[in-house]
Amino acid sequence: DADDRFVFVISDANLAQYGVGPQQLASALQESPLVNTFMFIIAEEDEAEEVRKAAPPGRVFRVMDTSELPGIFRRIFAAAVL
């Protein structure tokens, strides 16, 4: 048993290549209410935006500069503590 559960997905969002649609990813991010799921997309804005629109707010982040990751993780964990 655990207090908090987190899953972090990192993707290039090349959805067509993998046969996965934005709606499928959004559903996966909401699979279990016991798990906090987040997705980091390393892709051009158009592809990332499709996934972000389909997903619950605050679950998908477009990351083009890895120096942004520590701040994003801080915000995620800070929000989980509230």
Side-chain angles (χ1 to χ4, degrees), residues 7-63:
V7 172
F8 298 97
V9 178
I10 299 172
S11 174
D12 63 2
N14 193 352
L15 304 175
Q17 177 181 346
Y18 305 122
V20 178
Q23 204 56 44
Q24 289 172 293
L25 287 174
S27 293
L29 291 174
Q30 301 174 79
E31 183 85 17
S32 172
L34 300 175
V35 179
N36 298 294
T37 55
F38 301 90
M39 184 169 194
F40 300 102
I41 299 175
I42 302 167
E44 295 303 318
E45 189 169 357
D46 292 343
E47 293 175 79
E49 192 59 29
E50 287 181 43
V51 178
R52 191 180 1 227
K53 285 180 182 177
R59 299 284 184 100
V60 176
F61 301 88
R62 178 176 173 248
V63 178

Side-chain angles (χ1 to χ4, degrees), residues 69-81:
L69 287 172
I72 295 170
F73 275 107
R74 265 193 296 280
R75 288 193 307 269
I76 289 170
F77 290 126
V81 172

